[in-house]
Amino acid sequence: GVTNIGDSAFSGCTSLADVMIPDSVGNIGEGAFYGCTNLADVMIPDSVGSIGGGAFGDCYALTNAVIGDGVCSIGDCAFSGCTSLADVMIPDSVANIGEWAFYGCTSLADVMIPDSVTSIGDGAFWGCAGLTSLVIGSGVTSIGDWAFEGCERLTDVTIRCSEDAFGYDTFYG
């Protein structure tokens, strides 16, 4: 019967290693699992419509995040600082990727941004030093400043959107 995981609900639960989010949940609040440094995997069900800002920030052990097909928005700093996050699939339901959403996710190697995404916030993938392959879908109309700054290993980029979408220093460094 849980329909909402509130802001900071499990924030700082450093021993939390595993969580099962039920299909009844429609929203994951800001900072809900922030700083859960031992959380290794998370499966966000299709029932969730939005992932709040900083929801999984600084979850250093998080290696895999499965984002359900109902998620429309990935909040600011949602996965920032998840240095072990190696695999994330952004579903076709997502329209917005917030500012600094995947900031400092140094283990991410491949990112495919689907055509459904219209905006990518400032610094969304800043400092993803392990990123080697990137696809930006055709629906993107706005890419924030520094969105892919510091992605120094990026060697394979496919851009399907208009060049008018790009912000300041999008690929700096």
Side-chain angles (χ1 to χ4, degrees):
V2 176
T3 59
N4 182 49
I5 298 175
D7 295 349
S8 303
F10 297 95
S11 180
C13 291
T14 57
S15 295
L16 182 65
D18 193 24
V19 67
M20 189 200 145
I21 301 170
D23 289 339
S24 57
V25 172
N27 180 57
I28 298 174
E30 294 189 16
F33 296 94
Y34 181 85
C36 292
T37 55
N38 281 310
L39 185 61
D41 292 294
V42 67
M43 179 180 275
I44 300 166
D46 295 348
S47 59
V48 173
S50 65
I51 301 170
F56 297 95
D58 289 350
C59 290
Y60 305 128
L62 189 63
T63 58
N64 183 41
V66 177
I67 300 173
D69 289 332
V71 174
C72 297
S73 178
I74 298 172
D76 296 347
C77 303
F79 294 93
S80 68
C82 294
T83 55
S84 297
L85 185 61
D87 188 32
V88 66
M89 183 169 177
I90 301 168
D92 290 335
S93 57
V94 173
N96 302 312
I97 298 173
E99 296 181 356
W100 314 102
F102 294 94
Y103 165 80
C105 292
T106 55
S107 295
L108 271 181
D110 303 304
V111 171
M112 184 179 156
I113 298 169
D115 295 339
S116 62
V117 173
T118 59
S119 68
I120 300 169
D122 290 347
F125 293 89
W126 191 94
C128 291
L131 191 63
T132 59
S133 177
L134 171 67
V135 176
I136 300 174
S138 62
V140 176
T141 59
S142 173
I143 300 174
D145 299 341
W146 322 288
F148 300 96
E149 180 173 336
C151 296
E152 55 200 36
R153 292 189 185 115
L154 194 55
T155 57
D156 185 17
V157 179
T158 302
I159 300 170
R160 297 183 179 140
C161 66
S162 167
E163 65 186 59
D164 296 335
F166 289 84
Y168 180 75
D169 281 347
T170 302
F171 290 99
Y172 184 81

